[in-house]
């Protein structure tokens, strides 16, 4: 994973143009391969991004990947470009 970029002293974000990504994770893949929880998460994220007037810069999801186990690789999380984190 690429670390966050450090900003110089006095740096302030440009809130006139905000780009947002959504990252959805469900730790257990369900036996019926249901994706209802990730779909609900994505829908809520899309609604928030739209409501805030932000530009969507992508959606990423890791289903069946633990968020607790430090050895688990979450490929979609790793795909989020560092400039978007």
């Amino acid at each position: 994973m690429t670390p966050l970029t450090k900003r110089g002293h006095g740096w302030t974000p440009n809130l006139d143009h905000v780009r947002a990504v959504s990252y959805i994770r469900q730790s257990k893949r369900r036996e019926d391969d249901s994706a209802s929880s990730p779909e609900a998460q994505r829908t809520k994220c899309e609604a928030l991004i739209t409501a805030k007037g932000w530009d969507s810069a992508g959606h990423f999801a890791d289903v069946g990947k633990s968020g607790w186990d430090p050895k688990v690789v979450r490929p979609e999380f790793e795909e989020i470009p560092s400039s978007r984190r």
Side-chain angles (χ1 to χ4, degrees), residues 25-62:
R25 193 188 60 75
Q26 180 180 355
S27 60
K28 280 189 173 183
R29 183 174 298 277
R30 298 183 180 157
E31 287 182 22
D32 63 358
D33 208 28
S34 169
S36 61
S37 178
E39 287 173 11
Q41 290 178 50
R42 182 176 175 149
T43 299
K44 288 180 181 182
C45 288
E46 287 174 345
L48 176 64
I49 290 169
T50 300
K52 295 285 189 176
W54 299 337
D55 291 334
S56 178
H59 299 282
F60 302 86
D62 284 317

Side-chain angles (χ1 to χ4, degrees), residues 1-9 11 80-85:
M1 178 170 69
T2 305
L4 295 173
T5 304
K6 291 187 178 183
R7 309 286 190 214
H9 179 73
W11 178 86
I80 301 171
S82 62
S83 63
R84 295 184 187 173
R85 283 194 224 151

Side-chain angles (χ1 to χ4, degrees), residues 54-84:
W54 299 337
D55 291 334
S56 178
H59 299 282
F60 302 86
D62 284 317
V63 177
K65 304 290 183 181
S66 171
W68 175 82
D69 187 346
K71 297 176 187 172
V72 170
V73 175
R74 295 178 297 236
E76 286 286 306
F77 181 78
E78 297 297 331
E79 285 296 316
I80 301 171
S82 62
S83 63
R84 295 184 187 173

